[in-house]
Amino acid sequence: MTATKPWYLSRTIWASVVAVVTGAAGMVGLPVDAADGALITDTLLQGVSAVAALIAILGRLSAKDRIG
């Protein structure tokens, strides 16, 4: 594994966050099963990817210097 990526695009990070949130939700009485956790992870990762792409596009459009 030589390629790097930002932490917020890591599936492991988002799955861990979802595991913590679903565990906490279960402790307070909200039923969440494993299938819901996987769906939440996929949805969050897609959302984060879309926002990151939008920020990259807006950053490039507002840039004052050329890429070289």
Side-chain angles (χ1 to χ4, degrees):
M1 202 179 333
T2 59
T4 60
K5 62 182 172 184
W7 68 269
Y8 52 84
L9 293 179
S10 171
R11 187 172 182 83
T12 303
I13 295 294
W14 286 108
S16 299
V17 168
V18 168
V20 169
V21 170
T22 56
M27 287 174 55
V28 296
L30 295 172
V32 181
D33 59 355
D36 291 340
L39 182 62
I40 292 169
T41 299
D42 287 341
T43 303
L44 283 175
L45 189 57
Q46 289 173 359
V48 167
S49 296
V51 169
L54 184 61
I55 290 171
I57 290 169
L58 293 175
R60 187 62 244 158
L61 292 175
S62 66
K64 306 249 188 280
D65 297 325
R66 298 177 80 176
I67 297 175

